[in-house]
Amino acid sequence: MRTRYTTADLSVLTRDEARRFVSEGDGDPQTDIALAWELLYRLDPELYDRLVRAERLHPGVLEWLPDEVERIVEVGAGTGRLTVELIHRAGEVVAVEPAAPMRELLDRKLSRVDRRHGVRVTPGFFDDVPVADDFADLVVACSALTPAQGHGGEAGLAEMERVCRPGGRVVIVWPNHVDWLAAHGYRYASFPGEMFVEFASYEEAAELTEIFYPSAVAEVRRLGQRRVPYELLGINPPRDLAFKVIAE
Ligand SMILES: C[S@@+](CC[C@H](N)C(=O)[O-])C[C@H]1O[C@@H](n2cnc3c(N)ncnc32)[C@H](O)[C@@H]1O
């Protein structure tokens, strides 16, 4: 990932995206890993989708989420790892995603899953969610919100809470800054058990590890299996969430 893109690729970003993603670091995707990921979402969305198909959420997370509400908003929906799990849980689901190629892939995926449900995939950002105040019963983000301004930050968290109705829940699935969320009144839940990245084949495990987790390649090759423990890749498994119930 660190060498995959160069500053020449930054032209793929819209002005609104560049304002959020480029100004935050030094503007070079070879040294700013968050910026490299933003380029991946736009230049190689299928590759991203192959990775997340292998990184499935813990069933406890999915069971914890409400299974029947009126409206759900998901921000940073990506290619729909969580979205596809939400569409049967609400009459209306709004999936907000800034990267156009990710939205297109998600739209295609949703049209294959089920056309009957009210799912809308729309552009937007954490700090600019295109729905009214108190709109949703559940406002959720999965592996997307961070304290950095361009990827949510204080303004993004406040905006998620703005669109959540009193008594509703804002949920951050697979949070990577738990202390920051706790300082904003979020509680934490984690679900136990062994978890593996479930690549489609050993060949895919080797190929995708080389791209996304290069320091683990030798060990993945030594193991020679399609299932790889998260710990071996140096990442925490997608087994947790942080949540806040909005005051009535
Ligand atoms: C690691 S991906 C997670 C995608 C999806 N939720 C999943 O679990 O696979 C991060 C996502 O957040 C989106 N994102 C990044 N910055 C954002 C922002 N400021 N506002 C909204 N979404 C953002 C990216 O476009 C990308 O789809």
Side-chain angles (χ1 to χ4, degrees):
M1 276 294 283
R2 289 213 173 266
T3 52
R4 194 173 183 87
Y5 306 110
T6 70
T7 49
D9 295 312
L10 295 175
S11 59
V12 76
L13 298 173
T14 66
R15 184 183 300 211
D16 282 342
E17 290 168 348
R19 184 161 55 77
R20 287 174 174 87
F21 306 140
V22 181
S23 54
E24 212 147 60
D26 62 6
D28 183 348
Q30 306 221 329
T31 46
D32 179 348
I33 192 68
L35 183 55
W37 279 89
E38 292 304 329
L39 296 176
L40 173 84
Y41 304 145
R42 290 158 181 85
L43 294 169
D44 293 305
E46 302 276 356
L47 178 62
Y48 175 78
D49 195 50
R50 282 174 66 207
L51 176 69
V52 297
R53 262 185 271 152
E55 296 179 348
R56 291 189 216 134
L57 301 173
H58 191 296
V61 169
L62 301 175
E63 276 161 34
W64 186 95
L65 291 167
D67 62 0
E68 212 179 322
V69 291
E70 275 183 37
R71 297 192 191 112
I72 297 175
V73 170
E74 184 188 359
V75 190
T79 58
R81 167 176 23 206
L82 179 61
T83 325
V84 296
E85 305 286 349
L86 299 175
I87 56 174
H88 300 284
R89 301 178 189 227
E92 190 175 354
V93 176
V94 180
V96 179
E97 169 52 46
M102 302 280 263
R103 287 199 304 275
E104 281 154 28
L105 202 155
L106 177 54
D107 258 330
R108 285 203 302 279
K109 202 181 273 189
L110 291 173
S111 71
R112 285 197 300 270
V113 178
D114 194 338
R115 282 179 181 278
R116 288 168 303 163
H117 285 79
V119 190
R120 183 159 54 93
V121 181
T122 182
F125 294 94
F126 278 112
D127 58 3
D128 187 9
V129 178
V131 301
D133 293 359
D134 304 345
F135 175 82
D137 308 273
L138 171 66
V139 181
V140 63
C142 174
S143 181
L145 180 85
T146 81
Q149 216 181 325
H151 296 90
E154 303 287 331
L157 204 52
E159 179 74 344
M160 289 182 80
E161 294 181 14
R162 175 188 72 78
V163 305
C164 188
R165 71 161 172 81
R169 279 186 258 180
V170 176
V171 184
I172 311 301
V173 172
W174 205 6
N176 52 11
H177 293 84
V178 174
D179 292 347
W180 175 65
L181 292 167
H184 288 80
Y186 282 70
R187 288 154 66 193
Y188 181 72
S190 178
F191 302 89
E194 219 177 353
M195 289 188 77
F196 296 87
V197 182
E198 305 263 359
F199 293 105
S201 61
Y202 161 66
E203 288 71 25
E204 177 169 89
E207 180 197 344
L208 295 189
T209 303
E210 180 109 42
I211 298 170
F212 294 105
Y213 307 109
S215 62
V217 172
E219 189 60 10
V220 167
R221 289 194 190 282
R222 194 190 64 74
L223 276 180
Q225 292 170 10
R226 74 169 190 91
R227 298 171 87 221
V228 178
Y230 278 89
E231 293 70 22
L232 196 152
L233 300 177
I235 50 172
N236 61 317
R239 65 161 88 252
D240 54 354
L241 56 86
F243 71 99
K244 184 192 246 182
V245 178
I246 300 300
E248 305 229 29

